C-alpha cells in the first residue's frame, strides 16, 4: 500500500505505527510546508508543498498521487479535511481512497456551532452551545443557562483560545474582543473520547476504542486510560448514523448523570490514537484491508483490554540541516 499523509508535521509515532503493522508492504509518502517538520524523517518519500489555501496546492497533491501511485490519502490537520472531501471525485478518478468524511460532514465537523445545531436537529445529545453573546444573553435571562460557561473558537483546532468564563461582564468583554468564539455550557462531567473507524467498503462502524482523559494539554489528551461501556458503543454507533464518515475519526465526549454527550468530532487520526494502537486496535490493518484487498473489515468493537494507560512524552529528531532540506522533494 502506498499511503499519502498530508500536513504530516509532528506525527512521527503514527508513521511508526503504520510501519510496524505493514512493514515492507508499505510506502509512506508525506507532505509538509516546512523542511523542519520532524515526521518526514520516518517516511519513505517527502514533498514540500505550499500552504493549503494556495491555488496550486490541490493540483500538487493530485500530481504526487499520480507520481507515487498512491492508494489512499489523508490529512493530519483539521482545515485540510474539507479540501480533500471537496476533491474526492478527482482523487477517486486516480484510484485513490480519500480517508476523510464526505463534504457535508467535513464542513459540519469544522464548524462547531453548525455541528451543535445539526446534532440537536437529529436528536443526538450534545453540549448546549450559543453562536453569539446576544443569543446567550437571551437564554441566560430566561434562566436556561448559568455560569460558569466555556468559550472556544467556532472553527479551527488545537483548543487555542478555549477557556472558562465565570461572569457575564467578562463574557461580554471576551466575545466582543473575539467574536469568532462560541459559548458553551460548562460540563462538570467526565471527559473522554473515542477512536472510531468507519469501514470504507461497508460504511459501517467496525472499531471503537474508548478512553478516559487523565491529563490534557493544548491540542488534546496526553494521559488516558482505556475502558469499555456498551452504552457508549451504542451511543457512538447511533450518532454515526446521521453522518457520512470514511475511515478514522476521533470523537470527544462527556458523561454526566448517566448520559453521554457528543462534544465534537475530529474526522482524522486523533493525536491520542496512539493509545488505541498500543492496545491492539489496529487502524493501519483496517485501511490495508479496505484499500488493497477491497474487503470489508469485521467489527471488533470493544475487543481490547480495559485499564490500559497511555502516557505521552516528547522525543526528538536529530539531523543535519542539509539532510532536512534534501529530504523534501519538489513536485
Amino acid at each position: 500500500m502506498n499511503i499519502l499523509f498530508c500536513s504530516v508535521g509532528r506525527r512521527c509515532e503514527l508513521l511508526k505505527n503504520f510501519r510496524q503493522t505493514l512493514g515492507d508492504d508499505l510506502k509512506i509518502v508525506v507532505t509538509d510546508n516546512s523542511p523542519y517538520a520532524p515526521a518526514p524523517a520516518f517516511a519513505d518519500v517527502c514533498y514540500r508543498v505550499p500552504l493549503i489555501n494556495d491555488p496550486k496546492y490541490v493540483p500538487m497533491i493530485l500530481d504526487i498521487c499520480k507520481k507515487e501511485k498512491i492508494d489512499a490519502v489523508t490529512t493530519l490537520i483539521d482545515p485540510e479535511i474539507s479540501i480533500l472531501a471537496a476533491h474526492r471525485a478527482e482523487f477517486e478518478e486516480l484510484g485513490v481512497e480519500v480517508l476523510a468524511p464526505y463534504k457535508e460532514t467535513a464542513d459540519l465537523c469544522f464548524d462547531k456551532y453548525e455541528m451543535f445545531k445539526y446534532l440537536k436537529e437529529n436528536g443526538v445529545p450534545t453540549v448546549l452551545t450559543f453562536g453569539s453573546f446576544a443569543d446567550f444573553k437571551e437564554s441566560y435571562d430566561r434562566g436556561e443557562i448559568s455560569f460558569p460557561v466555556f468559550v472556544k473558537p467556532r472553527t479551527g483546532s488545537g483548543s487555542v483560545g478555549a477557556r472558562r468564563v465565570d461572569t457575564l461582564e467578562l463574557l461580554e468583554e471576551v466575545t466582543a474582543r473575539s467574536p469568532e468564539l462560541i459559548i458553551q455550557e460548562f460540563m462538570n462531567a467526565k471527559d473522554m473520547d473515542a477512536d472510531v473507524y468507519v469501514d470504507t467498503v461497508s460504511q459501517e462502524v467496525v472499531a471503537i476504542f474508548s478512553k478516559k482523559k487523565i491529563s490534557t494539554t493544548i491540542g488534546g489528551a496526553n494521559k488516558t486510560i482505556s475502558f469499555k461501556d456498551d452504552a457508549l458503543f451504542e451511543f457512538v454507533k447511533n450518532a454515526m448514523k446521521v453522518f457520512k464518515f470514511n475511515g478514522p475519526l476521533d470523537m470527544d465526549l462527556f458523561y454526566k448523570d448517566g448520559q453521554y454527550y457528543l462534544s465534537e468530532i475530529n474526522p482524522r487520526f486523533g493525536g491520542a490514537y496512539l493509545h488505541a494502537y498500543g492496545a491492539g486496535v489496529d487502524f493501519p490493518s483496517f485501511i490495508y484491508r479496505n484499500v488493497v484487498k477491497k474487503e470489508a473489515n469485521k467489527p471488533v468493537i470493544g475487543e481490547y483490554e480495559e485499564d490500559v494507560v497511555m502516557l505521552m512524552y516528547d522525543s526528538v529528531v536529530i539531523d543535519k540541516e542539509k539532510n532536512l532540506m534534501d529530504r523534501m522533494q519538489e513536485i
Side-chain angles (χ1 to χ4, degrees), residues 95-112:
V96 179
E97 182 72 58
V98 179
L99 299 172
Y102 289 78
K103 187 64 166 62
E104 181 181 358
T105 294
D107 291 344
L108 285 168
C109 291
F110 192 62
D111 187 320
K112 297 175 179 65

Side-chain angles (χ1 to χ4, degrees), residues 185-323:
E185 171 188 7
F186 186 81
M187 297 295 286
N188 186 16
K190 294 178 181 177
D191 190 4
M192 56 195 62
D193 69 21
D195 296 292
V196 181
Y197 189 82
V198 177
D199 195 271
T200 70
V201 174
S202 69
Q203 294 297 300
E204 297 292 329
V205 175
V206 295
I208 303 171
F209 177 82
S210 53
K211 53 193 184 291
K212 299 173 185 176
K213 298 177 183 177
I214 300 172
S215 171
T216 60
T217 56
I218 292 175
N222 62 356
K223 297 178 183 177
T224 52
I225 183 167
S226 65
F227 76 101
K228 300 181 190 181
D229 184 2
D230 288 339
L232 179 143
F233 298 150
E234 287 305 311
F235 179 88
V236 170
K237 287 190 286 186
N238 287 332
M240 290 295 97
K241 291 176 182 177
V242 302
F243 296 104
K244 289 188 69 177
F245 288 105
N246 198 57
L249 61 100
D250 171 65
M251 179 183 288
D252 288 336
L253 302 152
F254 290 104
Y255 184 73
K256 184 177 182 180
D257 299 329
Q259 173 65 59
Y260 285 99
Y261 296 85
L262 174 53
S263 174
E264 58 186 79
I265 300 174
N266 302 306
R268 53 170 171 76
F269 277 99
Y273 165 71
L274 305 174
H275 190 176
Y277 183 84
V281 185
D282 189 350
F283 287 10
S285 68
F286 299 160
I287 293 169
Y288 181 84
R289 190 170 294 110
N290 281 165
V291 171
V292 176
K293 295 189 174 182
K294 310 297 183 185
E295 297 173 357
N297 289 281
K298 296 178 181 177
V300 293
I301 294 169
E303 294 187 12
Y304 57 88
E305 291 187 24
E306 293 189 283
D307 301 323
V308 176
V309 176
M310 178 194 72
L311 307 174
M312 194 177 292
Y313 67 95
D314 288 331
S315 188
V316 297
V317 170
I318 305 293
D319 208 343
K320 296 282 287 185
E321 185 176 40
K322 182 180 184 301
N323 293 339

Side-chain angles (χ1 to χ4, degrees), residues 5-12 14-15 30 39 74-81 84 157 268-270:
F5 293 95
C6 297
S7 305
V8 71
R10 295 164 49 89
R11 303 297 292 275
C12 307
L14 179 63
L15 302 192
V30 302
T74 192
T75 179
L76 299 174
I77 61 169
D78 293 325
E80 191 173 6
I81 295 168
L84 293 184
S157 59
R268 53 170 171 76
F269 277 99

